Amino acid sequence: MGVVMEEKELVSNLKNVETKQKAFQHLVHLYKERIYWHVRRMVGTHEDADDVVQNVFIKIFKGIDNFNSQSKLYTWIYRIATNECLTFIEKSKRNQSSSIEERFDAIADVDAQPERILGQLMSALRQLPPKQRAVFNMKYFEEMPYRKMSEIMGTSEGALKASFHHAKSKIKQHILDNIKIG
Amino acid sequence: MDELEKLRQEQQEKNDRNSQYGQSVPSSYFENLERRILNQVANLETEPIIEVKSKRKIYTLLRYGSAAAALLILFLGISKFHTESIETPEYALLNEMEQVDYLLKSEEFYAEDLLEIDGIDEVLSELEQQLNNK
């Protein structure tokens, strides 16, 4: 589908049985990378991100009829992705011997210089509670305005600002501690 | 090769892939991901959404019926999580309540979400048994 489709038209096509498959193909094409990176920063590993992203898109496909266009389509998609990540993190905590924090540490343990710097950040991120991690990802990596984040997270802008502030402080402290140890 | 060695190798392969996909993922991966998602979705339409009879009842109830019943199920579900999550009960309860809150408030609420909550199967079975006994 080479032509850029307007959001209104895309949503309308997604809700029409005859055009749904084609429109969904377009949607996946548009959003897969952005959603992948959002999820990847939340869950830590490529393997887990791969699973979660597939679930996100299946939920979008199943739930599109319930999307009522009160928010932007992308905001709605982001909300599903964020919630799917939070659910995945919670399930991982309960079910797996290798916790998500350990896997974040494994990512941090790499040699290449640019990777190592990002690895430090990932290691710091793993210290954060999942929701704070989500807020930090959206603000820091994706430079998302608080208003939009508020729509996605269902939390007030003030609370998000506080959450981001706490996340930054914790990350800063974690990195400082690591430098001292190193 | 013993089981432990096999597991170790599998983990190593995962780590290798993770390093390989450190912070840059090749475009071929995304093409492949897109293909897999579209294949899954194509198969979805032929698969039953809910397999178990009791689940179907609840699904119908939620879709077309009583919001109060749905809330009751959710409440029972929350109580169950609370008692099962001995290690960090407060956190677990908070998390589940947030999930429920999310489900009820969000525009994409649908019954499959509810059915994915851990422990909901037992809650549904208990509920169905109670309904049958009346």
Side-chain angles (χ1 to χ4, degrees), chain B residues 32-93:
Chain B
N32 179 277
L33 175 70
E34 184 173 330
R35 210 167 24 247
R36 278 183 288 137
I37 291 168
L38 296 175
N39 279 342
Q40 282 189 45
V41 161
N43 292 331
L44 264 185
E45 292 187 315
T46 56
E47 287 173 4
I49 298 173
I50 297 154
E51 295 161 8
V52 184
K53 198 179 161 193
S54 62
K55 282 185 180 176
R56 193 177 302 119
K57 279 186 188 172
I58 299 299
Y59 178 80
T60 312
L61 189 71
L62 288 169
R63 269 275 197 229
Y64 306 110
S66 158
L71 282 168
L72 173 69
I73 295 162
L74 291 167
F75 178 74
L76 288 171
I78 290 167
S79 306
K80 199 169 176 62
F81 300 131
H82 191 38
T83 53
E84 279 184 349
S85 307
I86 296 159
E87 287 177 4
T88 52
E90 284 170 12
Y91 179 78
L93 178 64

Side-chain angles (χ1 to χ4, degrees), chain A residues 69-163:
Chain A
S69 298
Q70 275 180 357
S71 61
K72 287 264 182 197
L73 180 64
Y74 185 58
T75 309
W76 182 74
I77 290 172
Y78 234 83
R79 198 185 307 154
I80 294 177
T82 305
N83 196 57
E84 194 68 16
C85 289
L86 295 174
T87 306
F88 174 84
I89 291 167
E90 182 56 29
K91 276 187 182 167
S92 298
K93 275 185 186 168
R94 286 188 214 151
N95 301 335
Q96 294 183 6
S97 55
S98 160
S99 70
I100 200 150
E101 282 78 9
E102 285 166 353
R103 281 176 278 154
F104 263 94
D105 277 347
I107 300 162
D109 190 21
V110 286
D111 292 331
Q113 185 66 9
E115 294 285 307
R116 200 170 65 81
I117 295 163
L118 274 163
Q120 282 279 344
L121 184 57
M122 292 297 268
S123 168
L125 273 177
R126 70 105 168 159
Q127 308 284 333
L128 304 176
K131 282 202 168 177
Q132 240 174 52
R133 197 186 299 165
V135 170
F136 185 84
N137 283 337
M138 285 187 250
K139 191 67 196 162
Y140 180 80
F141 289 109
E142 293 158 44
E143 298 175 339
M144 194 181 281
Y146 283 113
R147 182 186 44 75
K148 199 169 182 182
M149 282 164 69
S150 172
E151 285 176 33
I152 291 166
M153 302 289 286
T155 310
S156 71
E157 289 186 34
L160 290 169
K161 283 176 189 171
S163 194

Side-chain angles (χ1 to χ4, degrees), chain A residues 34-50:
Chain A
R34 274 187 281 177
I35 294 300
Y36 169 85
W37 285 112
H38 175 61
V39 170
R40 173 76 185 271
R41 291 186 194 110
M42 284 292 290
V43 301
T45 69
H46 171 75
E47 296 278 334
D48 291 339
D50 187 65

Side-chain angles (χ1 to χ4, degrees), chain B residues 18 66 69 77 85 110 127 129:
Chain B
N18 210 49
S66 158
S85 307
Y110 45 99
L127 192 74
Q129 208 170 354

Side-chain angles (χ1 to χ4, degrees), chain B residues 78-132:
Chain B
I78 290 167
S79 306
K80 199 169 176 62
F81 300 131
H82 191 38
T83 53
E84 279 184 349
S85 307
I86 296 159
E87 287 177 4
T88 52
E90 284 170 12
Y91 179 78
L93 178 64
L94 180 68
N95 185 274
E96 299 302 346
M97 285 184 75
E98 281 171 353
Q99 278 194 37
V100 169
D101 191 47
Y102 163 81
L103 290 173
L104 292 176
K105 280 183 184 165
S106 62
E107 56 209 350
E108 66 272 16
F109 171 67
Y110 45 99
E112 292 96 311
D113 272 335
L114 180 65
L115 297 171
E116 279 182 17
I117 297 176
D118 284 349
I120 198 74
D121 279 348
E122 291 93 320
V123 174
L124 295 181
S125 301
E126 278 174 29
L127 192 74
E128 190 176 37
Q129 208 170 354
Q130 284 173 26
L131 289 171
N132 288 339

Side-chain angles (χ1 to χ4, degrees), chain A residues 4 51-53 57 59 66-67 83 108 129 149-150 152 176-177:
Chain A
V4 177
D51 286 342
V52 173
V53 169
F57 278 104
K59 285 203 167 179
N66 299 321
F67 173 64
N83 196 57
M149 282 164 69
S150 172
I152 291 166
L176 284 173
D177 289 348

